[in-house]
Amino acid sequence: MTGTHDPLRPHAHEPNPEPPSVDAAFVFTNPAGAETIVTVADLARLPQIRLPNCYIVSTGHGTSGPFTFGGVTLLELVQSRLRPGESWSQVEVISADGFGNRVLAAELHQSPPSERPILLAITRNGRPLTRRQGLVRLIVPSETDDALRQVKWVGQIVVKR
Ligand SMILES: Nc1nc2c(c(=O)[nH]1)N[C@H]1C(S)=C(S)[C@@H](COP(=O)(O)O)O[C@H]1N2
Ligand SMILES: [Mo]
């Protein structure tokens, strides 16, 4: 990895099997740049949804699943941490091991709302997701190609104007 590596433009690579740290709490940065901490308990207090029939597809090491992931939608978390009406255009979801994904507001604000929305997963098959399994993990159901959007170990969520 070079010094110019952009975590939001990861190259297909061997997925990292090892969690970068023990604690699953992460940093939330609002459009004004203010940071707050999000814990798994915080996520568990927001409305939960379940997404059955999710697959993690990798050209390198095959497909795993189907899994039922449970948790809170990315939109729900963003809205819970912003002032009503505060405008934003995109969200960067970056893992603690420098792997990231950009999600556009338009992807989250689908009309009618997506039946398979982008999720911050805290459970898998009805059990707490373990740190090794990726807690907290971004699940993007529309991505079924190379798993580059299925970010394990979310370390920072940055909402941009
Ligand atoms: N934080 C983080 N998330 C990641 C990766 C990674 O290296 N680090 N690799 C991605 C890739 S390329 C794949 S194929 C899947 C692998 O997920 P799995 O370990 O659940 O099979 O995780 C994705 N999410
Ligand atoms: Mo992958």
Side-chain angles (χ1 to χ4, degrees), residues 4-16:
T4 55
H5 174 74
D6 177 354
L8 297 173
R9 297 199 169 280
H11 302 280
H13 69 302
E14 275 309 303
N16 188 355

Side-chain angles (χ1 to χ4, degrees), residues 13 15-16 56 58 61 95 97 99 137 146-147 150 152-153:
H13 69 302
N16 188 355
I56 304 294
S58 162
H61 67 124
S95 77
D97 65 332
F99 191 91
R137 186 168 198 166
D146 52 18
Q150 317 299 333
K152 296 184 281 191
W153 314 303

Side-chain angles (χ1 to χ4, degrees), residues 43-67:
L43 295 177
R45 279 190 290 269
L46 293 169
Q48 303 294 299
I49 68 155
R50 281 154 59 90
L51 282 179
N53 294 311
C54 295
Y55 292 87
I56 304 294
V57 179
S58 162
T59 39
H61 67 124
T63 294
S64 63
F67 301 116

Side-chain angles (χ1 to χ4, degrees), residues 12-122:
H13 69 302
E14 275 309 303
N16 188 355
E18 292 301 332
S21 64
V22 175
D23 189 358
F26 61 85
V27 176
F28 182 93
T29 308
N30 77 11
E35 296 185 347
T36 51
I37 300 294
V38 180
T39 65
V40 174
D42 292 334
L43 295 177
R45 279 190 290 269
L46 293 169
Q48 303 294 299
I49 68 155
R50 281 154 59 90
L51 282 179
N53 294 311
C54 295
Y55 292 87
I56 304 294
V57 179
S58 162
T59 39
H61 67 124
T63 294
S64 63
F67 301 116
T68 298
F69 286 107
V72 56
T73 66
L74 181 59
L75 180 60
E76 191 83 54
L77 173 70
V78 169
Q79 289 177 337
S80 77
R81 298 257 163 164
L82 299 194
R83 292 189 312 273
E86 191 169 359
S87 75
W88 52 284
S89 69
Q90 54 179 262
V91 186
E92 296 172 356
V93 181
I94 302 166
S95 77
D97 65 332
F99 191 91
N101 185 236
R102 192 185 306 280
V103 180
L104 302 180
E107 288 183 85
L108 301 180
H109 283 122
Q110 283 180 34
S111 178
S114 172
E115 283 176 13
R116 295 183 64 76
I118 296 178
L119 187 71
L120 289 166
I122 58 174

Side-chain angles (χ1 to χ4, degrees), residues 124-145:
R124 194 180 90 173
N125 298 341
R127 296 194 195 89
L129 192 66
T130 66
R131 186 69 172 147
R132 198 181 158 84
Q133 290 166 346
L135 183 71
V136 172
R137 186 168 198 166
L138 185 73
I139 297 296
V140 180
S142 60
E143 187 285 301
T144 57
D145 189 31

